Amino acid sequence: MIASEGTDKRVIVVGGGLAGLAACVRLGEQGVPTDLFSMVPVKRSHSVCAQGGINACNEVARQQGYSEYEHFDETIYGGDYLADQHPVLEMANWAPKIIDLLDRMGVPFNRTGEGFRDLRLFGGSLFRRTHFAGATTGQQLLYALDEQTRRYEAEGLVTKYEFWEFLWPITFTEGKTTRCVGIIAQDTRTMQLRAFRADAVVMATGGPGLIFGKSTNSVVCNGAAASRCYQAGAAYGNAEMIQVHPTAIPGADKCRLMSESARGEGGRVWVPRTIGDTRTAKDIPEAERYYFLEEKYPAYGNLVPRDIATREIFDICVNQGMGVDGQNQVYLDLTHMDPDYLTEKLGGILHIYERFVGTNPRFEPMKIFPAVHYSMGGIWTGYEKGNYAPGEPYGKHVSGDLPPVDSEPGRGLRPGAPCNMMTSIRGLYAFGEANFAFHGATRLGANALLSCIFDGLFNGLSVANFVNNLHTKMSTDGSHAETPASAIHQSVYDEALEIEQAKYDALLARVSEDAEQSDEHNPYVIARELGEEMTAACTVVKTGEGLEKAIVKVRALKARYANVQLADGAMWTNQSLVYARAVGDMLKLAELTLVASKAREESRGSHYRLDFPDRDDDRFLKTCQGIYDAATDEPRLEWRDVDTSLVKPRPRTYGKVDAQPEKKEEASASS
Amino acid sequence: MIATTDNAKKPKPRTVRFRIKRSDGHGKPSRWETFDVPVQPGENVISCLQSIATHPITSEGKRTTPVVWDAGCLEEVCGACTMVINGKVRQSCSCLIDEYAPEEGDEISLEPMSKFPVVRDLWVDRDRLFNDLKRIKGWVPLDGTYNLGPGPKESRDKQQTRYKLSECMSCGCCLEACPQYTLETDEEALEKTFVGAAIISQARYFNLHETGKQLEKERLDALSSPGGVQECGNAQNCVQVCPKEIPLTESIAAMGRAVTFHKVKQFFAGE
């Protein structure tokens, strides 16, 4: 149905990364006019930083025993049973179709000699199921979707608002239901605030890496937009689930990711077996190198999931003191491989390493350390189940087994159901990293691009259906059952605008008059202290005590922030105001992350509590919902059972065995 | 404690002087301000700008407003933080202080790109670049997003050629360095001014794709109109400054030939 002319339907998409653009393309195709808001030109969205690839079952893997079902099972097992099983099943089933579509869009996927799409290994799987375009897959996928969006923009179906910042969702109560009917946004150049109407709003605003100070995220990934939805009443799911990526290069301004694909293509992680070994890497013979991941995890080796690799690297450096040169770093070694092969497959990340570190990883092993990378948690969303309903959850899947169900569409989710990926606020959706649903307690490498695009394309249809229903469903008296946004009284929008305008004016009035701005109320200093505290207390290893201290600290920062001072009172392009405003929202999301981390007294996936080292399914096989309490300005938690009707939880060990740094050394000495 | 915590004990910082060209917007007067920034090994222009934002005090000890600049990924894949550093256009994230200003007291000058209207200070408006991608219909015309099987098979060589072209991040370095590419803000004139190397190379990228080719004629029409490939003066600056080492001059030559061939064909077809 193409019916843009004369329609007063309208959707707002906030965020122009993979999830937001995929949603625009799907909505454009449905003929629904869409306003796309982004802090940056969409082609510069953080999705460009994704490197390694995108997972999908494919013919080669299928003939070796792999299946969409196994992709699903890997994702659930990888996520330590915290992900919503139904959406993940549907996503895995659609993955091959999504790859085909991206291929048709012209993404330059690497090719085999015969011209088929090439594949590589990735973490958490024993099969080659990752499709890639060099080591800049995210950039290439983003560009393809940017191009398709530009086409709908040229046709007038998509209107871009670039350099506009989302400030608040506008809600409207009709009878017993409150629903999202638009947003307040601000042009960060002219500083003009405006209310925008929409029948549905999609939040595709990515993750909150900046609350940890330095992370692998881009400078716009502060989580402020998601935090504002949380403060407006949307439940936030599993805030405590933050992924720390095992391999990054620490830097003064950020940590730069060194993709898992380096290990997928054969990269090996090691440290010298002897503490204090001062020889250069190439002078250390094979037997004196401790390939600790390979020795501890014979089946998966360097490709264990990220939380496990991160904890092992952390243990080697921090607990064992075995870091290279006595510092917090380990080798990521590609030097045993053909330099030309590396350039073809990994050129993008090798270029980054060379540029920012100055040595050539083709000939000298990289030195890396873990860094905050991705948020599995996000705005809570719901869904309508599909038709796969086994009598008992399947607990017996073994890699390579025949799947218990086929991959027909609709097995996991009902396609197009309006509630798919809708937040706890009606009409407000969350897609991509901003959505909590797909990755549970750890995201597997190369599943992020997939979940973003799946959300946009598959659940974009749900948004279109929600909007169409709104315009066609009538009450018995002949009026709309729910008023479309275009018919809602202007006062709803004016009032929302006034509130945001007042907040903005109040912040603008906080220009520091002092000659010397005090650090106490400096937003940059507050954010730096927040990042340091979050990184220390709430990343690889957490303890109840440390989290409690961090909560006290963050509450103190909130108190300081209440008197924040700006260094710039400009009424146009006021970047410090935009930054300072976000810091306030980051503090609230950080507080929720800490409170949820403290309440989850178990260890699961990326959430590792030293004082509760085991998974506790009896108490915590549950989604943690953070609800903002405006009266106290603090979070309240609710726990919801995870629906495990498709897969039965089993221990998540990845076949770990005991390994000691001395073992091999003794063996080689005696041989 | 993870990667964000500095490993080694911090040595005593040294001072680098930044000269920054500031302005309140396009058409407004500009001024230079200098800042003395304490730097540690491993810093880059971005981390120095962050220091200035935290404590915006000039080298004369005067309070000023934080410098405004554009940034995104900070790993040279988004193109946002492009500016003119010591007279040369490049991304500021990959501009390492140890390399650019190795000695105590060294100076680094930062200016906004000159071929785009200034929003404020170092931030410029590059909307034109994205609009020009519409001029050449920079997309593969799909039937739709429904499942219709895979795309066309492709040889390894062709994929490698296309991949290289597809790495263009629309940063605008090639346009800043091009003598034929000029600052233009008049909307009507924009339609007729030179599109520059990045756009020409993108046209080539889409024409190389089996399905993208469907729009080849339209793209060649656009590139043979005013502002098209014929306006290239062959200075070859573009290829020198491209941070992704995209073979831009090759693309210009290829599209130049394609346009000529296209026009000859049109002439004989009596179009």
Side-chain angles (χ1 to χ4, degrees):
Chain A
M1 114 202 85
I2 303 287
S4 68
E5 298 243 333
T7 180
D8 51 3
K9 291 172 193 167
R10 204 143 201 104
V11 170
I12 283 174
V13 173
V14 185
L18 287 174
L21 294 180
C24 285
V25 170
R26 179 42 70 92
L27 288 161
E29 189 178 10
Q30 297 297 312
V32 180
T34 302
D35 293 324
L36 171 58
F37 290 79
S38 171
M39 292 284 286
V40 296
V42 295
K43 197 177 174 180
R44 310 202 195 284
S45 300
H46 177 62
S47 302
V48 290
C49 289
Q51 299 170 341
I54 174 167
N55 294 331
C57 183
N58 55 82
E59 283 318 306
V60 177
R62 194 189 303 283
Q63 288 165 43
Q64 296 169 348
Y66 195 67
S67 59
E68 284 86 350
Y69 186 87
E70 184 157 338
H71 183 190
F72 158 66
D73 189 73
E74 283 168 354
T75 306
I76 297 297
Y77 178 69
D80 224 347
Y81 299 92
L82 200 59
D84 278 352
Q85 300 191 348
H86 292 82
V88 175
L89 176 62
E90 195 66 23
M91 173 176 81
N93 285 349
W94 280 85
K97 302 179 182 68
I98 286 171
I99 302 295
D100 277 349
L101 174 62
L102 294 166
D103 191 17
R104 282 169 52 219
M105 286 179 182
V107 173
F109 284 116
N110 276 53
R111 299 285 159 166
T112 63
E114 206 180 324
F116 291 106
R117 292 178 303 233
D118 202 357
L119 298 158
R120 65 164 51 125
L121 267 177
F122 236 80
S125 185
L126 299 172
F127 290 90
R128 288 184 192 275
R129 47 112 162 94
T130 303
H131 303 69
F132 61 100
T136 60
T137 312
Q139 182 191 41
Q140 299 305 315
L141 301 192
L142 183 77
Y143 290 0
L145 288 165
D146 172 62
E147 291 148 13
Q148 294 300 321
T149 303
R150 187 164 290 109
R151 176 186 174 191
Y152 286 112
E153 190 190 5
E155 287 174 16
L157 273 164
V158 171
T159 310
K160 280 186 191 152
Y161 292 85
E162 289 172 331
F163 296 120
W164 282 71
E165 184 180 13
F166 163 87
L167 296 187
W168 206 257
I170 302 172
T171 54
F172 171 62
T173 305
E174 208 168 11
K176 280 184 190 153
T177 45
T178 297
R179 121 185 110 87
C180 181
V181 293
I183 67 166
I184 305 290
Q186 182 172 34
D187 184 336
T188 59
R189 292 160 301 186
T190 64
M191 304 311 271
Q192 179 203 13
L193 275 94
R194 266 180 70 186
F196 293 85
R197 288 170 188 259
D199 295 315
V201 173
V202 177
M203 300 303 296
T205 50
L210 259 65
I211 64 176
F212 295 86
K214 288 179 230 168
S215 71
T216 64
N217 286 191
S218 296
V219 297
V220 286
C221 303
N222 53 30
S227 174
R228 287 163 195 161
C229 292
Y230 154 70
Q231 291 167 61
Y236 197 93
N238 297 337
E240 68 279 22
M241 294 304 173
I242 296 290
Q243 175 163 86
V244 181
H245 195 289
T247 59
I249 338 168
D253 51 341
K254 81 171 292 194
C255 300
R256 294 178 176 85
L257 180 66
M258 280 297 113
S259 169
E260 192 166 301
S261 56
R263 284 169 287 142
E265 293 292 353
R268 305 177 74 185
V269 174
W270 63 278
V271 291
R273 285 192 185 274
T274 319
I275 293 175
D277 196 327
T278 54
R279 290 173 294 177
T280 59
K282 66 173 187 306
D283 292 331
I284 300 178
E286 196 66 14
E288 292 172 44
R289 299 175 174 193
Y290 184 26
Y291 295 99
F292 51 96
L293 291 175
E294 295 170 35
E295 291 184 25
K296 290 183 181 177
Y297 301 89
Y300 289 86
N302 294 293
L303 289 171
V304 286
R306 290 171 179 174
D307 58 309
I308 295 178
T310 293
R311 275 194 295 277
E312 296 291 357
I313 293 171
F314 186 84
D315 180 62
I316 284 284
C317 294
V318 179
N319 300 336
Q320 320 277 343
M322 295 182 72
V324 174
D325 301 333
Q327 297 186 8
N328 283 338
Q329 54 190 10
V330 299
Y331 287 127
L332 171 55
D333 196 345
L334 290 164
T335 57
H336 54 290
M337 300 179 68
D338 172 28
D340 291 336
Y341 176 87
L342 292 175
T343 301
E344 183 185 333
K345 298 292 173 76
L346 299 171
I349 58 165
L350 302 182
H351 175 84
I352 291 175
Y353 195 88
E354 281 181 283
R355 271 279 156 109
F356 289 95
V357 180
T359 60
N360 187 339
R362 293 168 191 83
F363 307 109
E364 208 175 304
M366 296 185 268
K367 292 177 188 166
I368 54 89
F369 200 66
V372 168
H373 181 54
Y374 186 88
S375 171
M376 279 71 70
I379 305 173
W380 182 88
T381 53
Y383 58 89
E384 187 173 332
K385 289 181 191 178
N387 62 13
Y388 175 54
E392 252 177 59
Y394 195 64
K396 296 193 288 279
H397 185 77
V398 175
S399 184
D401 271 6
L402 280 180
V405 62
D406 61 43
S407 60
E408 286 297 302
R411 289 297 191 230
L413 297 179
R414 191 166 78 77
C419 67
N420 286 343
M421 303 308 139
M422 191 189 279
T423 68
S424 57
I425 298 176
R426 190 168 163 74
L428 183 69
Y429 291 80
F431 287 2
E433 190 176 345
N435 178 4
F436 95 110
F438 296 97
H439 307 294
T442 286
R443 175 175 68 72
L444 291 187
N447 259 353
L449 300 185
L450 177 63
S451 64
C452 286
I453 299 175
F454 171 74
D455 258 344
L457 287 176
F458 183 86
N459 298 313
L461 188 62
S462 296
V463 178
N465 287 344
F466 175 79
V467 171
N468 289 332
N469 288 348
L470 206 66
H471 283 259
T472 51
K473 265 197 189 145
M474 298 294 170
S475 313
T476 42
D477 66 356
S479 66
H480 282 284
E482 289 180 282
T483 315
S486 54
I488 291 171
H489 200 274
Q490 181 61 33
S491 62
V492 171
Y493 296 91
D494 291 344
E495 280 164 27
L497 184 60
E498 257 171 51
I499 294 171
E500 286 307 307
Q501 184 74 48
K503 282 196 224 168
Y504 166 72
D505 292 341
L507 191 56
L508 188 60
R510 297 200 146 277
V511 182
S512 161
E513 301 292 334
D514 314 337
E516 185 80 11
Q517 195 187 10
S518 81
D519 278 358
E520 182 81 4
H521 302 122
N522 183 325
Y524 295 92
V525 175
I526 293 175
R528 190 172 68 211
E529 289 182 32
L530 171 70
E532 284 166 1
E533 188 66 32
M534 290 300 287
T535 300
C538 201
T539 50
V540 186
V541 177
K542 310 177 193 179
T543 65
E545 197 188 343
L547 290 164
E548 185 54 48
K549 265 172 59 192
I551 291 170
V552 172
K553 168 79 182 182
V554 168
R555 287 185 177 151
L557 289 175
K558 275 169 75 182
R560 278 165 57 184
Y561 178 81
N563 293 309
V564 70
Q565 289 182 334
L566 298 189
D568 192 353
M571 292 165 81
W572 79 102
T573 327
N574 191 331
Q575 224 170 31
S576 358
L577 182 142
V578 168
Y579 183 83
R581 178 166 54 200
V583 171
D585 300 304
M586 286 158 64
L587 285 165
K588 293 182 186 184
L589 196 55
E591 184 183 16
L592 170 62
T593 305
L594 292 168
V595 168
S597 293
K598 182 157 178 288
R600 189 179 281 280
E601 294 178 329
E602 65 158 351
S603 291
R604 185 185 293 274
S606 300
H607 173 75
Y608 180 74
R609 284 280 298 263
L610 201 55
D611 40 358
F612 295 94
D614 299 314
R615 191 171 89 189
D616 184 348
D617 284 347
D618 291 340
R619 287 174 70 206
F620 292 110
L621 185 50
K622 287 175 164 55
T623 297
C624 172
Q625 275 192 335
I627 318 279
Y628 179 72
D629 183 347
T632 59
D633 184 31
E634 281 175 18
R636 174 168 61 76
L637 303 181
E638 286 177 9
W639 300 86
R640 295 169 68 107
D641 287 337
V642 176
D643 182 341
T644 51
S645 59
L646 305 188
V647 185
K648 200 163 98 190
R650 55 187 189 270
R652 179 181 184 265
T653 61
Y654 286 93
K656 184 175 184 175
V657 298
D658 274 337
Q660 297 298 329
E662 301 81 33
K663 255 188 189 167
K664 274 257 172 92
E665 200 176 27
E666 285 162 10
S668 62
S670 63
S671 64
Chain B
M1 258 227 292
I2 53 167
T4 60
T5 310
D6 293 305
N7 274 323
K9 257 199 163 169
K10 283 185 178 178
K12 198 170 167 282
R14 62 193 181 89
T15 303
V16 171
R17 175 162 288 193
F18 279 82
R19 286 183 75 233
I20 301 180
K21 191 178 184 182
R22 307 195 57 177
S23 127
D24 291 343
H26 177 66
K28 305 224 171 88
S30 61
R31 62 188 188 281
W32 288 89
E33 277 181 356
T34 58
F35 299 87
D36 291 333
V37 181
V39 297
Q40 302 278 354
E43 291 214 44
N44 58 4
V45 167
I46 297 287
S47 67
C48 292
L49 284 168
Q50 286 170 342
S51 299
I52 294 172
T54 309
H55 295 115
I57 297 170
T58 66
S59 41
E60 295 86 34
K62 210 177 96 227
R63 261 297 290 281
T64 181
T65 51
V67 176
V68 173
W69 82 100
D70 195 4
C73 71
L74 309 187
E75 46 196 65
E76 216 183 61
V77 283
C78 84
C81 68
T82 311
M83 56 184 76
V84 177
I85 303 178
N86 288 354
K88 196 180 160 225
V89 66
R90 60 170 296 164
Q91 277 72 55
S92 49
C93 66
S94 60
C95 183
L96 307 180
I97 306 301
D98 301 340
E99 263 173 40
Y100 248 64
E103 307 297 333
E104 175 68 35
D106 274 350
E107 228 180 63
I108 293 180
S109 83
L110 306 179
E111 293 169 74
M113 296 167 86
S114 65
K115 301 291 176 72
F116 302 95
V118 171
V119 178
R120 190 177 170 188
D121 295 342
L122 300 172
W123 181 7
V124 295
D125 180 353
R126 282 169 282 180
D127 257 6
R128 171 182 173 190
L129 234 168
F130 300 111
N131 282 328
D132 283 348
L133 286 170
K134 286 185 220 156
R135 265 165 89 179
I136 55 131
K137 293 201 177 355
W139 54 78
V140 171
L142 290 194
D143 282 354
T145 60
Y146 290 92
N147 182 28
L148 299 170
K153 253 170 94 174
E154 186 170 49
S155 72
R156 226 176 182 154
D157 281 352
K158 197 167 156 198
Q159 183 272 341
Q160 289 287 302
T161 306
R162 286 206 312 120
Y163 177 75
K164 197 69 224 160
L165 302 180
S166 183
E167 279 192 295
C168 172
M169 53 187 178
S170 300
C171 65
C173 283
C174 59
L175 309 176
E176 178 69 18
C178 171
Q180 273 70 44
Y181 196 86
T182 48
L183 173 68
E184 187 56 75
T185 51
D186 179 62
E187 295 243 343
E188 269 179 42
L190 272 177
E191 293 287 308
K192 297 187 182 72
T193 44
F194 184 42
V195 292
I199 304 293
I200 294 170
S201 185
Q202 283 287 295
R204 177 179 173 221
Y205 170 68
F206 290 105
N207 284 356
L208 278 172
H209 186 263
E210 282 308 313
T211 319
K213 239 184 217 155
Q214 306 286 329
L215 297 174
E216 184 175 19
K217 201 176 151 293
E218 278 105 315
R219 293 194 192 103
L220 295 178
D221 281 341
L223 288 186
S224 51
S225 331
V229 67
Q230 74 284 353
E231 301 197 13
C232 166
N234 207 21
Q236 310 209 359
N237 294 356
C238 51
V239 75
Q240 315 246 346
V241 296
C242 177
K244 294 285 146 187
E245 294 160 10
I246 296 170
L248 293 167
T249 43
E250 239 176 65
S251 288
I252 294 172
M255 293 317 286
R257 279 194 305 274
V259 161
T260 309
F261 190 67
H262 173 66
K263 281 174 134 174
V264 170
K265 223 164 98 182
Q266 273 181 332
F267 177 79
F268 283 109
E271 277 174 32

